[in-house]
Amino acid sequence: MIKAILVFNNHGKPRMSRFYQYYPEDMQQQIVRETFHLVSKRDDNVCNFLEGGTLIGGSDFKIIYRHYATLYFVFCVDSSESELGILDLIQVFVETLDKCFENVCELDLIFHVDKVHYILAELVMGGMVLETNMTEIITRIEEQNKLEKSEAGIAAAPARAMSAMKDMNIPQKIKDMKLPDLPSIGNLKF
C-alpha cells in the first residue's frame, strides 16, 4: 500500500504531498525533510529504492523515487508493493502531467495544484493504485475539463445578467417614462 506521495524540488521545497495515512502536520513536515535528505544525497547512478526512514515506518517501508530535472517524485510504500511497479507508476504520473501541462515544470505544480491532485486521484486513491493506463487517465481529465468549462458558463450567468442590467440604463429609462395624466381628486365621484 502507498503511504505517501511527495514531490519536492532540488532544494527540498515540497511542491505536492499526499499522505494516505494520518500524520500530524509537524510529522508530515519532518517526513518530507527526512525523505529529501535521504533521497537528495544519493548519486544519480544508484538504484531508485531505499528502505524507509525512521519517521515513515522504518525497515517495513520503502522509498521509491525518480529525479526529473528539478523535481523528485517520491512514493513511500509498504513492503507489499513492487519496486518496479511503483517506478512504472511514477513514470505514468510524470508522463500524464507532461501531456496535461505540455512539458510540465515546477511552476505547473505550484499554480495548478488542484489539477495535479486530480490527476493523482485518477492514479491512486486511498493508497491503492486505481489506473495505470495513461490514455484512460487523460480521457478522464479531458472529461473533467469539459465539465469545468460547462459549469463556468453557468457560474458566469449572474455576472452576465448584471452586465445586461447595466447596459439597459434603467435610471435613464425611468426618467424618460411617460405616464398618463391622472384625474384630479375633485373630478372623482363616489
Side-chain angles (χ1 to χ4, degrees):
M1 184 168 178
I2 299 170
K3 300 297 181 185
I5 298 173
L6 311 170
V7 179
F8 41 80
N9 67 10
N10 289 338
H11 304 290
K13 299 275 188 214
R15 296 306 180 205
M16 191 213 70
S17 62
R18 172 72 71 137
F19 288 87
Y20 296 103
Q21 180 176 338
Y22 173 75
Y23 294 102
E25 183 68 31
D26 58 334
M27 182 75 137
Q28 289 180 12
Q29 291 174 0
Q30 281 183 303
I31 289 169
V32 170
R33 279 193 300 272
E34 180 182 330
T35 305
F36 171 72
H37 180 69
L38 288 171
V39 169
S40 65
K41 69 181 181 180
R42 293 173 61 91
D43 287 333
D44 287 338
N45 59 353
V46 297
C47 74
N48 293 356
F49 353 111
L50 56 125
E51 288 191 3
T54 55
L55 294 175
I56 198 125
S59 61
D60 289 342
F61 290 84
K62 296 179 271 191
I63 295 174
I64 302 167
Y65 70 96
R66 293 290 300 261
H67 186 206
Y68 296 98
T70 63
L71 295 171
Y72 287 93
F73 290 81
V74 181
F75 281 52
C76 303
V77 300
D78 63 18
S79 56
S80 68
E81 292 291 337
S82 162
E83 291 95 346
L84 295 176
I86 296 297
L87 278 177
D88 186 48
L89 186 63
I90 293 172
Q91 185 69 30
V92 169
F93 182 42
V94 172
E95 284 184 26
T96 304
L97 288 172
D98 200 46
K99 283 199 180 207
C100 290
F101 294 113
E102 298 173 12
N103 297 325
V104 68
C105 67
E106 189 174 343
L107 291 175
D108 291 321
L109 300 181
I110 295 168
F111 292 117
H112 303 287
V113 69
D114 56 335
K115 265 194 176 158
V116 174
H117 279 278
Y118 180 77
I119 292 167
L120 183 60
E122 288 295 317
L123 275 94
V124 178
M125 179 125 355
M128 302 297 290
V129 177
L130 294 178
E131 184 64 63
T132 58
N133 184 344
M134 193 169 33
T135 55
E136 223 15 74
I137 296 165
I138 290 173
T139 301
R140 299 295 159 252
I141 293 164
E142 288 170 352
E143 288 173 356
Q144 179 69 20
N145 289 340
K146 286 178 187 173
L147 183 64
E148 286 175 4
K149 284 180 183 175
S150 70
E151 286 179 355
I154 294 169
R160 286 194 308 267
M162 288 302 294
S163 175
M165 291 293 287
K166 287 179 184 175
D167 290 344
M168 290 175 67
N169 198 1
I170 293 178
Q172 184 61 41
K173 289 193 183 245
I174 291 173
K175 287 180 186 176
D176 294 343
M177 194 179 291
K178 300 274 185 192
L179 296 175
D181 291 333
L182 297 175
S184 64
I185 294 181
N187 296 342
L188 290 178
K189 295 184 181 176
F190 295 96

